[in-house]
Every structure is written in C-alpha cells, then in structure tokens.
Amino acid sequence: MTSDGYDPLDLSATRSAHRTSMGASDACVEAALVDGLTDAQRAAVLHFEGPALVLAGPGSGKTRVITQRIAHLVSQGVKPSQILALTFTNKAAGEMRNRVERLLPRGLAGGLIVSTFHSYCASVLRRHGASVGLQAGFSIYDSDDQKTALKAAIEAAGLTTSNWTPASVLAAISEIKNRLLTPEEYALEASDFWSRSIAKAYARYQDTLHRSNACDFDDLLMKTASLLRNDASVRALLQQRARFILLDEYQDTNHAQFVIAATLASEHRNLFVVGDPDQSIYGWRGADITNILEFEQHFAGAVVLPLGENFRSTAAIVRAADGLIVHNKKRPHKDLHTALEEGERVRVLRCQDEHDEADQVAAFFEERLRAGVPYRSMAVLYRMNALSRVLEDSLRRKMIPSIVVRGTAFYDRKEIKDAIAYFRLLSNPRDEVSLRRIVNVPTRGIGPTTVRKVEGYAAGSGYALFDAFAMAPGAGIVKGKIGESVVAFIELLRSFQRGMDARLPGDLADFVGEVLKQTKLDEFVGRGGVEEAERVANLDELVSAAREFQFIDDPDITHPTLRTAVCAWLESVALIADADAFDPDRGSVTLMTLHAAKGLEFDSVAVVGLEHGLLPHSRSMESDDALEEERRLLFVGMTRAQRALMISSAVSRQVRGVRQATIESPFLREIPSNATTVADRTPSVDRIVYDEPEAFCDLDPAELFPVGCSVKHPIFGVGKVEFLARGFGGTRARIAFRGVGIKTVIVEHARLSRVQ
DNA sequence: TAATGTGCGCTTTTT
DNA sequence: GCGCACATTA
C-alpha cells in the first residue's frame, strides 16, 4: 500500500502501468501489466498455477505484484469470483481492490473477494456458522467484552481469580485457540495447576460465548477452520470459490490462518503468498514465522520468488536498516539493496527529554517542508500510543497539522461502546455482555441486585438472560417500580426489533439516531459540563458514521432489511483496525505506532523513543525471539522512509507520571556509522554517564549484579543487592547500603561495581 | 439504588 | 497518570 501519490524521485518505473490499460483489449492489458516490471516482479506477476512464495523485502513492490497478478489472472480468463485475496487491514484490502479495479476494464472485477482474514471468516460464519454453533446475528467481542465475559464465566463457575489477571488468562486462551484446541482437547494435555485452571476458565468462557451467540477474534479463525474441517459441503463450496488464493503479509499469519489457507488451497493448490520474514512483528499475537520459513516444506513444488530490490528508500537508509537487521540471528540470509542515490544520512538524535525530542521532530518536518515535501508525506512512529500526546502538542504549537492514526480510538469511548451495545443486543438478544452493559444505562433502577436475581431465575429456568428479564415481572421475580422499569425496558427493545425487521437498509443512520434518542442515552451522557457535551457530539458522530457506512447488497440475501444492515455495520465496526484510520489526503503529518505503519511509506519519517525499555520494550527483553521481533519492528519503521529518516531518543522521559532517566536503545549501536550523522543535544555531564557503560549494555544486569551480591556505588558506598526488577529505562536494583540505608538505583546508570 | 469519593495497581504492540 | 474496584452517603 502506498501512502500517497507524492513521488519526487519517481522511484518506480512501473507506477504508470495501469494508466494504459483502461478499456484496452485483453492482449493490451496483458502487455501493459508486465510493462516496466523488473524480471523478478514479472516472474511473480506471471506466475499462474501451483504454490508460490514471494519473498518481498521492504519497498520491493509487493502490492503492485499482487494487484497486477490478480489482473493478469483475470486477463487469462480466470473468473474474478474464483479469486480470493486476503490482507491484514481493511485499508490494505480497500486499496488493493481499488488498484485492481483500475487495472481492469470497467466492471470486470465483479465477484472478486479482497478482504481481511477476519472479515472473510466473519462472512463465512454469517452464512454457514450454524454447524459450529453460531446464529446469523452473532456478536463479535473485542478485548473489553472478552474481559467481561471471562469475569462472568469465572464468577459463575466459582473459580478463584486471585493470582491471575483476566488479561493473562485471555492471552493463554488466545494461544490455545490459535492452536485450534477445543476446551476438551486442551484439558487432556493440561497437567500442571496453572494449565488446569486455564482449561477450566477456557471451558466456562466458551460456554458464556456460546450462550451469548458470540465469538471473539480468535473464534472467527478457529470456528472457520473447524467448519472447513467438519463440513464437507461448505468446504467444497469455499474451495471452489478459492481457485486462486493470494495472501499478503504471510509472515504475520498464525497457525489457524495457515490451516484455513491450506485447506482452502488443497483443492486447486494455487496458493500465492507474499511476505518478508524481516517484517514479522505480530509474534505476540500468535503469528508463526515458521509459516513463511517453511513454506516450501508445507507445499511441495512451491516456487520461491525473491524480490530483493528496494525501490523506495535511498541508499543510506537501506544501508542503515540492513545493518540493523543483520543482527537478527534467526533469519535466512537476504540481500537488501537499492539502485537509488545515496541520499542524506540517517539523523540520529539524542535529546534532553520527550519535549525536546518532539521539538526536534517538528524542526525536522519544518525543514522538510522547506525542501518541498508536503506534510502528508511525513510521519512520526513510536512504540506505544502513550507517546503520541507530547508529539501532538509540540506539532500543534508549531502550527504543523497532524493526525494520530488510531482507528479504534473512537469506538473505545465509553458512550460509544454503550451505544454499540444497544445495537448488538438488538441484532443478537442472546448477547449477555451487551445486555449487562446497558441494562442500567441510562440508569433505570435495574441495579446489580436485580440483575443477580434475574440471573438466578435464568439459571434455574433455563431461559436466556434476555428472556428471563422479559418473564421476570410476570413470574413475580421483580416487583413494583423495578418491575415496571423492566417491562418498559423490554418493550422498548422489542419495538426497536420490530422496526429492524420492517424497515429497509437505507434507514440505518436514522434508526441509529432514533435509538439514541428514545433510549435517552444522549440525554444521559449529556448532563453536565464541557466533557459531557463532547460525549453527545461523539454520539452524533456515531450517527454520521452510520450514514457513511456503505451497505453492500449481498446477492445471497434476497430481501435485505434494516436488520441486515445493522448487522453488517456492527461487523465492520468490530473488525476495524487502527491502521484503517490512516488517510494521506488530509494534508497532515501522520502519527502512529510502528505496528500500524507496516505497509506504508513516507518521504520523511521520524522514529522516536529509541530507548532501552521502550524500543526494545521492557516486556520483550526476556527472550531472544521477542528481542529480535523488536529489532524487526525498528526495521519496519526505518524502511518506511523514502528520503529522510530521523531516529531519536531522550535522556529523560516521563512515563505514566514519573520522570525517569533512560539509556539508549542497544539497536542504535547496531546501525552502521557510515549511514548516520549523530547529534547529541544533552549536556556533557550526562554524556559521560551514558557513553561510558556501553560495554555492559549488552550484558544482563541481573547476571552482573545478582541478588545477594555486594556492590560498590560511587556515592553510597558498599551495599548488598536485595531486589532486581526490569522496567522502563533499565533495571532497577534495591540495594541496602552500609550506613546509608536502602536505595533504589538504575543499574545501567549507577556505575556500580562488584566487590567481594 | 445512585452518585460521589478514595485508594490501589498496573503499565505494548492489535485483528 | 489513569481506570477500576470498592466504600460511603443521600
């Protein structure tokens, strides 16, 4: 995916290929498709049948290869409806579809599926989910909903929750689901206390999801995989629709995705995957890098097509990035090169603090603007979202327009989640998470005690929770004012449901507005001051979002109703990706995480926060694999830049309210000095401290100064190490100094030495 | 039951 | 620095 059309170097000779193809005959299309491609690109585009792996380094034109290959297949007479292209984000899918449509004569792309893995699975399950226990209106739970469901499941099962956090349990469950193990299967292999507890929690959690007619992100994949395995007729149908499969970002697929792809491809064996092991950055989400490394073993007779030439970045940037990534031990040898000019060196900046750093980023962008580069071709990348605030402020002060790319930010707001919960409950009354969420929002007197009563009634009678609420007043479970309130609540929802079945898809936005009004949700969030007014504005924004939602008629559904549209809208909202919010046409500098930047390119890029504990992140420093993934993350960031790259760190940084001294990222020392210019903005006193201990940056402080050892500190004297903890900015050691008392120091800074 | 106050703990990346 | 869980008061 390309960020924009701005391209001062005309870095690629192939960009104009599509322009000559409009309305041309098939033969002309054919010629135009390969015109201007390199030999390697042409080989990939012209690849026809059989499995193929395209090893596409950064900037090697992989999106072009995929789109032109699709067009090529169609020009060869392959029906678009037999081509399935899967990407990582909706944005990438949309972009790819657009490009293909531009390459083909008008209307020829009909029936082509270009989608993300998750939305492809969701649409498969909408249609065929019954045999894996999903009804059409099923809800898709995000991590917040997952937490709620897990808590409810654990509570209902009477399991103790101390010692484990919902997040860690969910991470474990996610890992199990990626391995495609059901609760029963996992229980068989669970032997120790922890895994047996997880097995129980997993089983209960799945019960809750099943009762709620809901699935989480992992279920979308897992249930599709199991559907393909167990239902021969659905398998045959989907295989037939997938005569040619193209997978983008193959290095980031997990086991479940591998199984789905392999099953779909097993009939026709036309699996064409594109990826780069050096850009695998989702290992923490279950991505399995061996999928791409062992592609040839998995698919006999596979063709491997390397695209090594970088058409994006100038030579200095490529040299810097390559110099970094060669430090990864677990990687196939790969040559990264460019024929482009040397260009300017990578600017390495050591700043005083995060404000200084942000100002330097602003200065960098102002300089690039003077060089004729528009703001939309500039980006700041960082390891975590929390770093965006300071950058935003600084850019705003300098009058530099900027936008933070975070697709889910809007839908993370409480009032928006509440609103969405209403619609989820309307399309799926079994959705317990949504029901619990809004049963008393706005407050209508149905508090926790009432909910618990009805819950007990549901458990005893076998009713679904929603039905139990509907029956409770009549059954005398809830009485008086509360009973009336429950009746009114249920009746309100039922009237909305009748509307959903009677009205047409075009009424979506109006309906959304009506529900917000009649539930009085807008009034409820609006009472109060300025912040509350903003919440109301957000709800209005939700109505606008619904208005902009394009409901695409599904040829399989003869009479789409408003219900169909609500369902489709909810699905699109659930599967939104952070990167989807990226819009290069806004004329602003882009701020986003390194993860979200994958697949994009910009003339000028600043990567900030190159500090030990931040990049590499402290949570990634326990294993070599995780550390290598952090290195790949920086590699991805650096290779986004076409002509100017700045990477920076700050000597001191405030993280969640606490200012801390930092040390430079070890990655900085891996970047070859013949590709960089270094500027140190810190006072010389600090420099002495930070330049000296380079030698032991690589060594594990825990090994150097283990708990119990005696150390000497230049100020506090001799003491004994009591405790070590890794954290932001390095390793903290609690040391009991003789005559001074207990002090906590950052090992990397404190210039400690061992004494016997 | 609702609204407000207080203390505690955690702390990345995201479909 | 923030959000969540729990406690207190009307």
Side-chain angles (χ1 to χ4, degrees):
Chain A
M1 187 162 66
T2 318
S3 64
D4 56 62
Y6 169 77
D7 191 2
L9 295 181
D10 191 20
L11 298 177
S12 146
T14 64
R15 284 228 165 121
S16 58
H18 67 269
R19 287 185 204 128
T20 55
S21 67
M22 293 291 282
S25 72
D26 281 2
C28 288
V29 170
E30 180 63 43
L33 283 176
V34 295
D35 188 35
L37 295 178
T38 64
D39 289 347
Q41 289 172 334
R42 183 177 301 132
V45 167
L46 296 181
H47 174 83
F48 192 57
E49 292 187 300
L53 163 64
V54 177
L55 285 172
S60 62
K62 72 179 172 102
T63 308
R64 190 173 312 131
V65 163
I66 296 175
T67 52
Q68 299 199 177
R69 177 165 183 266
I70 294 174
H72 175 249
L73 289 173
V74 174
S75 77
Q76 294 295 296
V78 176
K79 284 191 205 139
S81 62
Q82 291 188 313
I83 300 172
L84 172 64
L86 298 179
T87 64
F88 229 65
T89 62
N90 300 297
K91 199 85 192 172
E95 172 93 2
M96 199 168 280
R97 170 175 286 282
N98 279 338
R99 287 229 219 163
V100 170
E101 279 169 359
R102 272 183 283 153
L103 284 170
L104 289 171
R106 192 173 289 273
L108 248 187
L112 170 74
I113 300 179
V114 187
S115 167
T116 67
F117 239 111
H118 284 85
S119 13
Y120 172 73
C121 291
S123 72
V124 166
L125 293 170
R126 290 272 174 235
R127 259 167 256 193
H128 311 291
S131 65
V132 285
L134 286 177
Q135 305 304 313
F138 68 82
S139 306
I140 300 172
Y141 282 175
D142 66 15
S143 54
D144 225 51
D145 306 319
Q146 285 182 286
K147 257 178 218 151
T148 312
L150 180 70
K151 273 186 206 156
I154 286 178
E155 202 177 309
L159 298 170
T160 58
T161 53
S162 52
N163 296 335
W164 7 299
T165 62
S168 67
V169 176
L170 284 168
I173 292 176
S174 172
E175 208 173 293
I176 300 165
K177 286 186 176 181
N178 284 331
R179 290 170 57 204
L180 299 175
L181 296 177
T182 62
E184 299 75 37
E185 286 162 344
Y186 180 70
L188 292 177
E189 74 167 48
S191 49
D192 58 306
F193 179 74
W194 161 256
S195 49
R196 280 159 61 147
S197 310
I198 292 296
K200 279 184 213 156
Y202 178 25
R204 297 303 183 159
Y205 171 71
Q206 278 321 92
D207 288 346
T208 305
L209 260 56
H210 184 252
R211 258 204 330 276
S212 296
N213 187 29
C215 65
D216 60 26
F217 291 125
D218 298 315
D219 281 333
L220 289 173
L221 304 175
M222 183 176 172
K223 285 183 184 291
T224 302
S226 106
L227 182 66
L228 282 169
R229 188 158 108 191
N230 300 323
D231 190 325
S233 66
V234 170
R235 182 172 61 235
L237 183 77
L238 295 178
Q239 283 176 338
Q240 187 260 322
R241 286 282 276 108
R243 194 175 143 212
F244 288 91
I245 302 172
L246 300 94
L247 300 183
D248 193 13
E249 309 284 9
Y250 190 65
Q251 76 282 355
D252 287 323
T253 51
N254 63 26
H255 177 66
Q257 290 167 318
F258 166 78
V259 168
I260 292 168
T263 310
L264 288 173
S266 64
E267 178 70 20
H268 296 289
R269 291 189 35 85
N270 298 323
L271 181 62
F272 182 93
V273 307
V274 182
D276 178 7
D278 287 335
Q279 295 182 65
S280 164
I281 54 175
Y282 285 97
W284 53 274
R285 210 172 72 185
D288 186 353
I289 197 168
T290 59
N291 285 348
I292 191 165
L293 297 178
E294 293 171 5
F295 185 81
E296 293 165 85
Q297 283 96 291
H298 295 147
F299 302 95
V303 182
V304 179
L305 304 155
L307 300 180
E309 186 169 355
N310 182 311
F311 299 100
R312 176 185 297 152
S313 312
T314 50
I317 293 171
V318 170
R319 198 162 64 245
D322 188 54
L324 170 78
I325 203 65
V326 293
H327 285 82
N328 270 3
K329 296 194 178 70
K330 293 178 189 168
R331 92 184 256 275
H333 176 75
K334 219 174 67 187
D335 186 30
L336 200 64
H337 58 274
T338 181
L340 296 179
E341 59 178 359
E342 169 68 12
E344 71 159 59
R345 289 186 168 201
V346 176
R347 311 171 189 202
V348 179
L349 247 64
R350 184 85 176 132
C351 307
Q352 307 225 31
D353 57 30
E354 69 273 21
H355 302 286
D356 182 36
E357 181 182 53
D359 289 344
Q360 293 307 306
V361 170
F364 171 57
F365 288 158
E366 282 170 340
E367 184 199 315
R368 297 301 295 162
L369 184 75
R370 286 194 296 274
V373 179
Y375 283 135
R376 66 185 154 87
S377 301
M378 306 180 193
V380 200
L381 310 178
Y382 35 80
R383 179 63 234 263
M384 38 180 205
N385 285 300
L387 298 190
S388 69
R389 178 63 62 73
V390 176
L391 291 158
E392 253 184 301
D393 289 346
S394 174
L395 291 172
R396 193 180 308 121
R397 269 200 308 277
K398 301 274 168 57
M399 314 278 277
I400 299 175
S402 71
I403 40 168
V404 178
V405 174
R406 198 161 183 226
T408 54
F410 178 71
Y411 293 95
D412 280 345
R413 294 166 189 275
K414 201 179 259 139
E415 65 273 17
I416 298 299
K417 287 195 161 208
D418 289 339
I420 293 288
Y422 269 98
F423 297 102
R424 286 215 306 218
L425 185 60
L426 289 173
S427 40
N428 176 24
R430 280 167 54 191
D431 186 336
E432 285 185 15
V433 169
S434 297
L435 175 55
R436 281 168 206 276
R437 183 175 184 105
I438 50 95
V439 68
N440 204 28
V441 178
T443 44
R444 44 171 78 88
I446 309 174
T449 317
T450 308
V451 173
R452 210 155 295 144
K453 251 192 239 171
V454 177
E455 218 167 24
Y457 173 55
S461 61
Y463 290 128
L465 191 57
F466 182 89
D467 297 332
F469 267 104
M471 314 285 277
I477 304 296
V478 289
K479 303 186 188 90
K481 258 213 153 69
I482 298 174
E484 285 166 34
S485 186
V486 170
V487 170
F489 172 62
I490 294 290
E491 191 36 54
L492 183 65
L493 293 177
R494 292 222 162 122
S495 77
F496 287 140
Q497 284 178 333
R498 286 192 290 273
M500 281 182 18
D501 290 317
R503 293 164 71 175
L504 295 172
D507 285 352
L508 178 65
D510 292 339
F511 180 65
V512 171
E514 288 162 28
V515 171
L516 299 183
K517 275 261 139 24
Q518 290 179 42
T519 56
K520 300 205 167 70
L521 192 64
D522 54 351
E523 268 175 50
F524 179 68
V525 306
R527 83 239 121 88
V530 184
E531 251 174 70
E532 285 74 14
E534 199 181 305
R535 290 197 194 126
V536 177
N538 287 331
L539 289 179
D540 290 339
E541 183 72 29
L542 186 68
V543 178
S544 308
R547 190 154 276 125
E548 275 165 44
F549 174 70
Q550 298 192 348
F551 175 68
I552 299 163
D553 268 329
D554 183 337
D556 293 356
I557 300 172
T558 40
H559 295 294
T561 59
L562 178 54
R563 176 181 292 277
T564 328
V566 170
C567 195
W569 179 58
L570 288 174
E571 183 173 307
S572 80
V573 167
L575 298 178
I576 222 159
D578 272 359
D580 291 339
F582 174 63
D583 180 2
D585 300 327
R586 297 270 288 270
S588 303
V589 168
T590 301
L591 279 68
M592 63 181 144
T593 62
L594 287 157
H595 282 89
K598 190 178 69 166
L600 302 176
E601 62 184 6
F602 301 89
D603 176 278
S604 308
V605 172
V607 183
V608 300
L610 275 116
E611 290 142 35
H612 195 265
L614 206 51
L615 183 63
H617 194 273
S618 51
R619 296 273 289 246
S620 316
M621 287 195 283
E622 277 122 47
S623 82
D624 287 352
D625 284 354
L627 189 74
E628 294 209 344
E629 183 156 307
E630 295 291 303
R631 195 179 276 112
R632 290 194 292 269
L633 199 49
L634 177 56
F635 175 77
V636 166
M638 292 173 72
T639 54
R640 299 310 94 196
Q642 294 172 313
R643 294 203 303 170
L645 173 63
M646 152 184 167
I647 56 183
S648 59
S649 61
V651 166
S652 134
R653 184 180 298 274
Q654 198 171 35
V655 188
R656 57 174 212 280
V658 186
R659 180 154 296 284
Q660 282 188 319
T662 73
I663 54 170
E664 284 185 337
S665 167
F667 296 153
L668 281 173
R669 281 178 288 121
E670 300 174 353
I671 299 171
S673 55
N674 69 0
T676 60
T677 56
V678 180
D680 194 332
R681 301 176 41 77
T682 60
S684 56
V685 184
D686 292 330
R687 215 172 305 155
I688 295 164
V689 176
Y690 298 110
D691 284 350
E692 266 181 358
E694 282 202 352
F696 74 63
C697 278
D698 270 348
L699 296 172
D700 187 348
E703 282 172 28
L704 230 83
F705 306 107
V707 172
C709 80
S710 295
V711 295
K712 187 170 183 201
H713 185 276
I715 295 160
F716 303 132
V718 177
K720 196 171 212 164
V721 177
E722 290 192 327
F723 180 73
L724 284 166
R726 284 200 174 81
F728 283 110
T731 306
R732 274 195 292 277
R734 196 167 68 220
I735 303 172
F737 289 103
R738 271 180 226 158
V740 181
I742 293 169
K743 298 273 173 197
T744 300
V745 302
I746 305 280
V747 177
E748 286 85 347
H749 292 254
R751 281 183 286 173
L752 296 172
S753 52
R754 283 286 289 271
V755 295
Q756 291 310 310

